[in-house]
Amino acid sequence: MADASYPTELLYHAEHDWARIDGDTAVFGITWYAQDALGEVVFFDPPQVGSTVTAGESYAEVESVKAVSDVVAPLSGEIIEVNPGLGDTPENINNDPYGDGWMVKVRLSEESQTGDLLDAAAYEATLS
Amino acid sequence: MAAATPDTALKRTPLYDRHVAAGAKLVPFAGWEMPVQYEGVKQEHLATRATAGVFDVSHMGEIATSGPDAEAFLQHILSNDVTKLQTGGAQYSVLCREDGGVLDDLFTYRLGATDFLTVTNASNHEKDFAWFAKQAEGFDVEVTDVAANYAMLAVQGPQAREIVGAISDSPLPDRFTCRHKMLRGQKVLVCGTGYTGEDGVELLLDPADAPMIWDEVVRRGAVPAGLAARDTLRLEVGYHLYGNDLMEERGPIEAGLGWAVKEDTGFIGSDAVRAVRDAGPSEKLVAFTMESGIARQGNPVVGGGEVTSGTMSPSLEIGIGMAYVPAERAEVGTELEIDVRGKVRRAVVARKPLYKK
């Protein structure tokens, strides 16, 4: 497993989720800290494509051997894609939380505000 | 996901320093600070199945029972037939209340004609000892809490005997027997028991000797394995965990432990247990496999019952578990629906053990 990292091009929700924004869409996942706290991820329960997610609310569940955790949406919008690889290889969430471990792609709602999110330095500061 | 705060009230085993050095994640468990995992649960689990794992189970308790009435006394409180236990033998039994509820499940070793050692679950040790002491009145027997005298290591897996055998002065005892051996010059009670479904041994030893023996077996290839791997291993083979699958509010017949219960011995609770066996239990503990997802302890079974243990099986790579269900739904092959946090997921009652070699 790689060392702790918080890429500066991402925005972070305090519940340990990240968003990579590209125009009116964004990709979501969980942070290095979250996957480390969970331990080995063994199951990802994805949302339905077409369902809507609300910033700060759970949209999926991720399970480690011992525990289950809600995954919180950093921003609001409609799910347009779910990472198809996580069905067979949920461990990608541990191995590559910002790459192959991405969870969903969302078309952001017009009301979606990035102002509530943290940059990498501010998020990292919440962890210490 | 808050970080655990150190709790100085937690007890530490003599292997605490070894766990820290090995990078263990330590958690509070039954009043002890115990390693839940080292490198990773899956790896530790699979290593135990493939080669050998070593588990620090020093948190478990020990009660010594000795004296002229020792056998009669244990026959009075333990569910199994203690008179069938030979010197150097090991026997699994449950400790019942008068109403048949399960106080604990235990392994008892017979060290001599009137000399026994019983291993208790850490979470139940004080309760068990108080029960032993109370019930001992009227018997010519001495019951002693000897938990502080013992550390305990479980070396489990296909290579476990080879690893421990290499430091033993003489051949290791067979399954379900125990013998005192000299391991690297130190006296150790070596028991052919374990709780992983693998062959292996459990070592009851002087706490001062535990770090040296731990180092010896790790050097010979036993992989340090934590409580989380012990839990997934035992669940794959359908062994009960007290506090999950066994509890005071339910009896041994419901739990599927009728084989360890001999009502004719007249132990405390035997009448209540007999009544359940004769009438047939209204609910039974079953093992199940999930079609998808993972059920967890406390998840309700649709139509009655609840999950008592649930995890992802590292060997089978599916969700598995145990649940109490109405007796008419306990047949192998019965389809169950389990409410997993609001989502109904399908499972099927499966034959134990879920994992077979």
Side-chain angles (χ1 to χ4, degrees):
Chain A
M1 201 183 291
D3 289 336
S5 69
Y6 303 98
T8 52
E9 72 273 21
L10 305 181
L11 290 175
Y12 296 87
H13 188 279
E15 293 290 322
H16 313 295
D17 307 272
W18 56 260
R20 180 182 284 118
I21 298 170
D22 179 15
D24 64 347
T25 66
V27 172
F28 297 167
I30 63 170
T31 65
W32 190 94
Y33 174 88
Q35 66 76 31
D36 184 55
L38 272 169
E40 296 147 283
V41 172
V42 293
F43 184 68
F44 175 65
D45 189 16
Q48 293 281 331
V49 170
S51 61
T52 57
V53 299
T54 305
E57 292 186 6
S58 168
Y59 68 89
E61 287 176 349
V62 62
E63 302 226 19
S64 64
V65 174
K66 287 305 288 178
V68 58
S69 281
D70 287 323
V71 182
V72 164
L75 294 161
S76 303
E78 179 191 345
I79 306 270
I80 55 174
E81 198 180 335
V82 169
N83 184 348
L86 296 184
D88 288 335
T89 52
E91 61 268 28
N92 284 348
I93 294 167
N94 294 121
N95 297 335
D96 192 8
Y98 306 111
D100 289 343
W102 70 276
M103 291 176 175
V104 294
K105 190 172 183 182
V106 169
R107 187 178 314 286
L108 298 174
S109 68
E110 288 183 13
E111 306 81 54
S112 219
Q113 303 289 325
T114 59
D116 294 337
L117 298 181
L118 306 170
D119 65 18
Y123 173 66
E124 248 189 295
T126 69
L127 303 177
S128 55
Chain B
M1 288 187 186
T5 47
D7 186 342
T8 48
L10 293 173
K11 288 179 272 188
R12 291 174 173 177
T13 80
L15 296 163
Y16 176 82
D17 292 345
R18 295 298 191 278
H19 302 323
V20 171
K25 189 182 276 187
L26 293 152
V27 298
F29 181 85
W32 293 78
E33 193 171 4
M34 296 298 292
V36 66
Q37 65 167 74
Y38 302 82
E39 294 290 315
V41 183
K42 259 164 126 171
Q43 179 218 336
E44 293 157 28
H45 177 115
L46 296 173
T48 304
R49 292 266 181 254
T51 56
V54 57
F55 302 80
D56 178 10
V57 286
S58 301
H59 61 312
M60 298 188 78
E62 291 82 16
I63 298 172
T65 304
S66 59
D69 289 348
E71 182 185 274
F73 165 66
L74 291 175
Q75 189 79 326
H76 177 61
I77 61 171
L78 299 178
S79 68
N80 218 326
D81 187 351
V82 179
T83 64
K84 297 273 165 51
L85 188 54
Q86 310 268 326
T87 295
Q91 192 180 60
Y92 180 82
S93 64
V94 295
L95 191 65
C96 285
R97 308 192 300 198
E98 285 86 352
D99 68 358
V102 177
L103 288 161
D104 204 3
D105 65 329
L106 312 154
F107 258 102
T108 297
Y109 302 94
R110 187 172 203 151
L111 305 181
T114 60
D115 190 12
F116 297 82
L117 189 67
T118 298
V119 176
T120 63
N121 279 298
S123 55
N124 291 334
H125 178 68
E126 287 176 17
K127 176 182 81 173
D128 290 359
F129 180 68
W131 182 264
F132 269 60
K134 178 182 160 200
Q135 302 301 339
E137 283 170 28
F139 287 93
D140 188 359
V141 66
E142 190 171 354
V143 172
T144 316
D145 180 352
V146 291
N149 300 357
Y150 290 101
M152 188 167 176
L153 302 186
V155 190
Q156 303 281 298
Q159 292 175 13
R161 283 175 174 277
E162 191 184 324
I163 287 167
V164 178
I167 56 169
S168 175
D169 66 334
S170 56
L172 301 181
D174 294 336
R175 205 149 170 73
F176 298 117
T177 67
C178 63
R179 295 286 184 280
H180 279 103
K181 300 285 175 189
M182 299 302 280
L183 301 189
R184 279 282 171 267
Q186 303 301 325
K187 189 179 172 191
V188 175
L189 181 63
V190 182
C191 307
T193 48
Y195 220 62
T196 60
E198 296 296 325
D199 194 11
V201 291
E202 292 179 305
L203 309 175
L204 284 148
L205 67 171
D206 187 320
D209 298 331
M212 182 270 289
I213 298 293
W214 174 274
D215 291 346
E216 290 279 0
V217 299
V218 169
R219 184 148 41 125
R220 283 171 172 74
V223 174
L227 294 183
R230 194 163 188 264
D231 189 48
T232 54
L233 288 158
R234 68 94 193 165
L235 190 50
E236 282 184 352
V237 289
Y239 293 166
H240 301 65
L241 176 64
Y242 196 91
N244 283 47
D245 318 301
L246 293 173
M247 58 215 78
E248 292 191 28
E249 297 74 26
R250 287 182 167 107
I253 302 299
E254 294 89 323
L257 291 174
W259 59 273
V261 176
K262 308 286 155 58
E263 292 93 300
D264 291 347
T265 64
F267 66 89
I268 295 172
S270 57
D271 289 346
V273 172
R274 187 197 309 276
V276 173
R277 202 195 296 261
D278 289 350
S282 60
E283 57 175 2
K284 288 181 179 172
L285 186 68
V286 298
F288 63 80
T289 56
M290 302 290 291
E291 190 176 274
S292 72
I294 306 168
R296 301 286 185 178
Q297 183 184 22
N299 289 162
V301 178
V302 177
E306 71 171 324
V307 173
T308 52
S309 287
T311 191
M312 170 66 79
S313 160
S315 301
L316 306 173
E317 298 190 319
I318 51 168
I320 61 169
M322 292 206 273
Y324 280 98
V325 297
E328 64 274 14
R329 313 207 58 211
E331 284 290 309
V332 169
T334 304
E335 291 192 0
L336 301 177
E337 289 183 328
I338 300 174
D339 183 339
V340 181
R341 296 177 299 282
K343 236 176 236 183
V344 173
R345 294 190 175 276
R346 288 152 64 93
V348 62
V349 176
R351 198 176 302 283
K352 288 192 241 180
L354 299 171
Y355 167 84
K356 291 181 218 58
K357 285 271 174 190

